[in-house]
Amino acid sequence: MPESYEFKVFDDNMKRQFLLNQILEQEVQLFSLMVAPLDEKDPQYDEWKWSFEEIKKSISRLMGVYENLGGDYDLQEIKRVINNSQ
């Protein structure tokens, strides 16, 4: 069972922004792997494939938490995250 904590300052809006930023970072990493895929015969293919699958799992988990906090994929909210990350 995860530990619990009552957040006083870090409200749901801030949590959603944080999660969107994490999702963005993970999607950038996933895209990077997709742009440079390795051939199955490459000696590093297993590591590449493992990384690819782990990032997909991480994105899925982050999206679930984000959506449970009432997050949607509103373009304005996403733009704020992108603009703040530059």
Side-chain angles (χ1 to χ4, degrees):
M1 167 88 76
E3 298 292 323
S4 66
Y5 177 81
E6 184 179 338
F7 291 92
K8 302 288 185 188
V9 177
F10 194 50
D11 66 11
D12 284 356
N13 185 49
M14 293 171 77
K15 291 174 189 174
R16 286 190 301 271
Q17 291 292 314
F18 172 80
L19 289 164
L20 272 179
N21 190 52
Q22 295 297 305
I23 292 167
L24 173 62
E25 288 178 16
Q26 294 288 305
E27 285 190 346
V28 167
Q29 287 182 10
L30 187 64
F31 182 73
S32 175
L33 289 173
M34 292 173 73
V35 169
L38 295 180
D39 186 87
E40 290 182 19
K41 295 176 184 172
D42 189 297
Q44 295 181 333
Y45 176 79
D46 288 339
E47 183 179 331
W48 177 90
K49 181 70 172 171
W50 181 85
S51 295
F52 186 83
E53 294 302 324
E54 287 300 306
I55 291 171
K56 284 181 13 182
K57 288 179 198 174
S58 179
I59 292 170
S60 180
R61 187 182 78 258
L62 290 167
M63 290 175 122
V65 174
Y66 175 74
E67 291 165 7
N68 285 337
L69 285 170
D72 60 22
Y73 300 95
D74 176 66
L75 190 55
Q76 290 301 97
E77 194 165 343
I78 292 170
K79 281 183 179 181
R80 280 193 299 272
V81 169
I82 292 171
N83 290 338
N84 288 333
S85 69
Q86 295 176 352

mmCIF file of all heavy atoms in Angstrom, residues 19-20 22-24 27 56-73:
data_model
loop_
_atom_site.group_PDB
_atom_site.id
_atom_site.type_symbol
_atom_site.label_atom_id
_atom_site.label_comp_id
_atom_site.label_asym_id
_atom_site.label_seq_id
_atom_site.Cartn_x
_atom_site.Cartn_y
_atom_site.Cartn_z
ATOM 1 N N LEU A 19 2.466 16.313 -14.185
ATOM 2 C CA LEU A 19 2.288 15.059 -14.914
ATOM 3 C C LEU A 19 2.354 15.269 -16.425
ATOM 4 O O LEU A 19 2.957 14.462 -17.139
ATOM 5 C CB LEU A 19 0.984 14.383 -14.509
ATOM 6 C CG LEU A 19 0.990 13.797 -13.099
ATOM 7 C CD1 LEU A 19 -0.429 13.508 -12.636
ATOM 8 C CD2 LEU A 19 1.844 12.545 -13.044
ATOM 9 N N LEU A 20 1.745 16.353 -16.917
ATOM 10 C CA LEU A 20 1.834 16.640 -18.350
ATOM 11 C C LEU A 20 3.288 16.843 -18.765
ATOM 12 O O LEU A 20 3.706 16.385 -19.827
ATOM 13 C CB LEU A 20 1.025 17.887 -18.714
ATOM 14 C CG LEU A 20 -0.437 17.684 -19.056
ATOM 15 C CD1 LEU A 20 -1.094 19.028 -19.362
ATOM 16 C CD2 LEU A 20 -0.620 16.725 -20.208
ATOM 17 N N GLN A 22 5.890 15.482 -17.330
ATOM 18 C CA GLN A 22 6.515 14.157 -17.312
ATOM 19 C C GLN A 22 6.106 13.351 -18.539
ATOM 20 O O GLN A 22 6.936 12.667 -19.144
ATOM 21 C CB GLN A 22 6.123 13.398 -16.033
ATOM 22 C CG GLN A 22 6.635 14.029 -14.758
ATOM 23 C CD GLN A 22 8.135 14.041 -14.704
ATOM 24 O OE1 GLN A 22 8.775 13.008 -14.844
ATOM 25 N NE2 GLN A 22 8.711 15.210 -14.524
ATOM 26 N N ILE A 23 4.837 13.439 -18.910
ATOM 27 C CA ILE A 23 4.356 12.735 -20.109
ATOM 28 C C ILE A 23 5.080 13.265 -21.339
ATOM 29 O O ILE A 23 5.530 12.483 -22.192
ATOM 30 C CB ILE A 23 2.819 12.879 -20.251
ATOM 31 C CG1 ILE A 23 2.106 12.104 -19.126
ATOM 32 C CG2 ILE A 23 2.351 12.407 -21.629
ATOM 33 C CD1 ILE A 23 0.628 12.436 -18.982
ATOM 34 N N LEU A 24 5.215 14.582 -21.437
ATOM 35 C CA LEU A 24 5.928 15.185 -22.564
ATOM 36 C C LEU A 24 7.365 14.670 -22.634
ATOM 37 O O LEU A 24 7.834 14.251 -23.703
ATOM 38 C CB LEU A 24 5.920 16.709 -22.447
ATOM 39 C CG LEU A 24 6.764 17.461 -23.470
ATOM 40 C CD1 LEU A 24 6.267 17.217 -24.895
ATOM 41 C CD2 LEU A 24 6.782 18.943 -23.151
ATOM 42 N N GLU A 27 7.330 11.087 -23.809
ATOM 43 C CA GLU A 27 6.987 10.974 -25.227
ATOM 44 C C GLU A 27 8.144 11.421 -26.110
ATOM 45 O O GLU A 27 8.360 10.858 -27.185
ATOM 46 C CB GLU A 27 5.707 11.750 -25.542
ATOM 47 C CG GLU A 27 4.466 11.036 -25.041
ATOM 48 C CD GLU A 27 3.176 11.655 -25.535
ATOM 49 O OE1 GLU A 27 3.182 12.800 -26.053
ATOM 50 O OE2 GLU A 27 2.135 10.985 -25.392
ATOM 51 N N LYS A 56 6.912 3.182 -22.791
ATOM 52 C CA LYS A 56 5.476 3.079 -23.072
ATOM 53 C C LYS A 56 4.691 2.779 -21.796
ATOM 54 O O LYS A 56 3.631 3.367 -21.565
ATOM 55 C CB LYS A 56 5.207 2.007 -24.126
ATOM 56 C CG LYS A 56 5.566 2.448 -25.515
ATOM 57 C CD LYS A 56 5.305 1.461 -26.627
ATOM 58 C CE LYS A 56 4.472 0.278 -26.377
ATOM 59 N NZ LYS A 56 4.329 -0.640 -27.515
ATOM 60 N N LYS A 57 5.205 1.882 -20.951
ATOM 61 C CA LYS A 57 4.541 1.570 -19.675
ATOM 62 C C LYS A 57 4.500 2.799 -18.782
ATOM 63 O O LYS A 57 3.486 3.075 -18.131
ATOM 64 C CB LYS A 57 5.273 0.436 -18.952
ATOM 65 C CG LYS A 57 5.100 -0.921 -19.562
ATOM 66 C CD LYS A 57 5.895 -1.934 -18.751
ATOM 67 C CE LYS A 57 6.151 -3.201 -19.500
ATOM 68 N NZ LYS A 57 7.022 -4.129 -18.782
ATOM 69 N N SER A 58 5.604 3.524 -18.733
ATOM 70 C CA SER A 58 5.680 4.717 -17.905
ATOM 71 C C SER A 58 4.679 5.769 -18.367
ATOM 72 O O SER A 58 3.987 6.386 -17.550
ATOM 73 C CB SER A 58 7.103 5.283 -17.943
ATOM 74 O OG SER A 58 7.200 6.448 -17.176
ATOM 75 N N ILE A 59 4.590 5.980 -19.667
ATOM 76 C CA ILE A 59 3.628 6.942 -20.209
ATOM 77 C C ILE A 59 2.211 6.528 -19.838
ATOM 78 O O ILE A 59 1.398 7.353 -19.409
ATOM 79 C CB ILE A 59 3.781 7.075 -21.739
ATOM 80 C CG1 ILE A 59 5.109 7.745 -22.085
ATOM 81 C CG2 ILE A 59 2.607 7.848 -22.340
ATOM 82 C CD1 ILE A 59 5.460 7.704 -23.567
ATOM 83 N N SER A 60 1.913 5.264 -19.993
ATOM 84 C CA SER A 60 0.577 4.762 -19.668
ATOM 85 C C SER A 60 0.240 4.999 -18.190
ATOM 86 O O SER A 60 -0.861 5.444 -17.855
ATOM 87 C CB SER A 60 0.495 3.278 -20.004
ATOM 88 O OG SER A 60 -0.774 2.772 -19.707
ATOM 89 N N ARG A 61 1.202 4.729 -17.317
ATOM 90 C CA ARG A 61 0.990 4.935 -15.882
ATOM 91 C C ARG A 61 0.768 6.420 -15.583
ATOM 92 O O ARG A 61 -0.156 6.796 -14.863
ATOM 93 C CB ARG A 61 2.182 4.402 -15.093
ATOM 94 C CG ARG A 61 1.989 4.422 -13.593
ATOM 95 C CD ARG A 61 3.216 3.940 -12.823
ATOM 96 N NE ARG A 61 4.223 4.994 -12.771
ATOM 97 C CZ ARG A 61 5.325 5.080 -13.502
ATOM 98 N NH1 ARG A 61 5.623 4.153 -14.395
ATOM 99 N NH2 ARG A 61 6.162 6.076 -13.374
ATOM 100 N N LEU A 62 1.618 7.286 -16.154
ATOM 101 C CA LEU A 62 1.484 8.724 -15.936
ATOM 102 C C LEU A 62 0.146 9.245 -16.451
ATOM 103 O O LEU A 62 -0.509 10.061 -15.792
ATOM 104 C CB LEU A 62 2.635 9.472 -16.622
ATOM 105 C CG LEU A 62 4.021 9.296 -16.012
ATOM 106 C CD1 LEU A 62 5.085 9.831 -16.962
ATOM 107 C CD2 LEU A 62 4.115 9.958 -14.650
ATOM 108 N N MET A 63 -0.272 8.763 -17.611
ATOM 109 C CA MET A 63 -1.548 9.191 -18.180
ATOM 110 C C MET A 63 -2.709 8.762 -17.284
ATOM 111 O O MET A 63 -3.674 9.514 -17.113
ATOM 112 C CB MET A 63 -1.719 8.640 -19.593
ATOM 113 C CG MET A 63 -0.797 9.282 -20.591
ATOM 114 S SD MET A 63 -0.921 8.500 -22.212
ATOM 115 C CE MET A 63 -1.372 9.893 -23.202
ATOM 116 N N GLY A 64 -2.615 7.571 -16.715
ATOM 117 C CA GLY A 64 -3.664 7.108 -15.816
ATOM 118 C C GLY A 64 -3.791 7.994 -14.593
ATOM 119 O O GLY A 64 -4.901 8.371 -14.196
ATOM 120 N N VAL A 65 -2.668 8.359 -13.999
ATOM 121 C CA VAL A 65 -2.688 9.242 -12.828
ATOM 122 C C VAL A 65 -3.238 10.611 -13.234
ATOM 123 O O VAL A 65 -4.085 11.188 -12.543
ATOM 124 C CB VAL A 65 -1.278 9.379 -12.205
ATOM 125 C CG1 VAL A 65 -1.272 10.412 -11.091
ATOM 126 C CG2 VAL A 65 -0.783 8.034 -11.692
ATOM 127 N N TYR A 66 -2.767 11.117 -14.364
ATOM 128 C CA TYR A 66 -3.217 12.417 -14.876
ATOM 129 C C TYR A 66 -4.736 12.424 -15.089
ATOM 130 O O TYR A 66 -5.429 13.343 -14.645
ATOM 131 C CB TYR A 66 -2.477 12.725 -16.179
ATOM 132 C CG TYR A 66 -2.926 13.975 -16.865
ATOM 133 C CD1 TYR A 66 -2.590 15.220 -16.366
ATOM 134 C CD2 TYR A 66 -3.677 13.917 -18.041
ATOM 135 C CE1 TYR A 66 -2.998 16.385 -16.999
ATOM 136 C CE2 TYR A 66 -4.070 15.061 -18.688
ATOM 137 C CZ TYR A 66 -3.737 16.298 -18.165
ATOM 138 O OH TYR A 66 -4.147 17.442 -18.804
ATOM 139 N N GLU A 67 -5.230 11.400 -15.735
ATOM 140 C CA GLU A 67 -6.670 11.328 -16.010
ATOM 141 C C GLU A 67 -7.470 11.142 -14.727
ATOM 142 O O GLU A 67 -8.571 11.688 -14.594
ATOM 143 C CB GLU A 67 -6.948 10.216 -17.019
ATOM 144 C CG GLU A 67 -6.399 10.567 -18.398
ATOM 145 C CD GLU A 67 -6.300 9.398 -19.352
ATOM 146 O OE1 GLU A 67 -6.784 8.285 -19.025
ATOM 147 O OE2 GLU A 67 -5.724 9.585 -20.440
ATOM 148 N N ASN A 68 -6.942 10.403 -13.751
ATOM 149 C CA ASN A 68 -7.629 10.239 -12.463
ATOM 150 C C ASN A 68 -7.720 11.555 -11.698
ATOM 151 O O ASN A 68 -8.606 11.719 -10.858
ATOM 152 C CB ASN A 68 -6.938 9.180 -11.605
ATOM 153 C CG ASN A 68 -7.229 7.782 -12.076
ATOM 154 O OD1 ASN A 68 -8.227 7.524 -12.749
ATOM 155 N ND2 ASN A 68 -6.352 6.856 -11.745
ATOM 156 N N LEU A 69 -6.815 12.474 -11.983
ATOM 157 C CA LEU A 69 -6.864 13.801 -11.367
ATOM 158 C C LEU A 69 -7.762 14.753 -12.158
ATOM 159 O O LEU A 69 -7.792 15.949 -11.901
ATOM 160 C CB LEU A 69 -5.460 14.402 -11.263
ATOM 161 C CG LEU A 69 -4.563 13.829 -10.189
ATOM 162 C CD1 LEU A 69 -3.139 14.340 -10.344
ATOM 163 C CD2 LEU A 69 -5.101 14.190 -8.803
ATOM 164 N N GLY A 70 -8.475 14.221 -13.144
ATOM 165 C CA GLY A 70 -9.393 15.036 -13.932
ATOM 166 C C GLY A 70 -8.735 15.693 -15.132
ATOM 167 O O GLY A 70 -9.336 16.565 -15.757
ATOM 168 N N GLY A 71 -7.526 15.280 -15.443
ATOM 169 C CA GLY A 71 -6.824 15.871 -16.572
ATOM 170 C C GLY A 71 -7.379 15.402 -17.897
ATOM 171 O O GLY A 71 -7.818 14.267 -18.037
ATOM 172 N N ASP A 72 -7.390 16.323 -18.837
ATOM 173 C CA ASP A 72 -7.725 15.961 -20.209
ATOM 174 C C ASP A 72 -6.594 16.490 -21.075
ATOM 175 O O ASP A 72 -5.603 17.002 -20.568
ATOM 176 C CB ASP A 72 -9.097 16.501 -20.635
ATOM 177 C CG ASP A 72 -9.181 18.022 -20.552
ATOM 178 O OD1 ASP A 72 -8.138 18.699 -20.574
ATOM 179 O OD2 ASP A 72 -10.314 18.542 -20.471
ATOM 180 N N TYR A 73 -6.719 16.346 -22.330
ATOM 181 C CA TYR A 73 -5.623 16.717 -23.216
ATOM 182 C C TYR A 73 -5.972 17.988 -23.985
ATOM 183 O O TYR A 73 -5.799 18.088 -25.188
ATOM 184 C CB TYR A 73 -5.253 15.534 -24.119
ATOM 185 C CG TYR A 73 -4.827 14.366 -23.257
ATOM 186 C CD1 TYR A 73 -5.733 13.380 -22.891
ATOM 187 C CD2 TYR A 73 -3.537 14.312 -22.746
ATOM 188 C CE1 TYR A 73 -5.348 12.342 -22.046
ATOM 189 C CE2 TYR A 73 -3.151 13.283 -21.900
ATOM 190 C CZ TYR A 73 -4.060 12.308 -21.561
ATOM 191 O OH TYR A 73 -3.682 11.298 -20.715
#
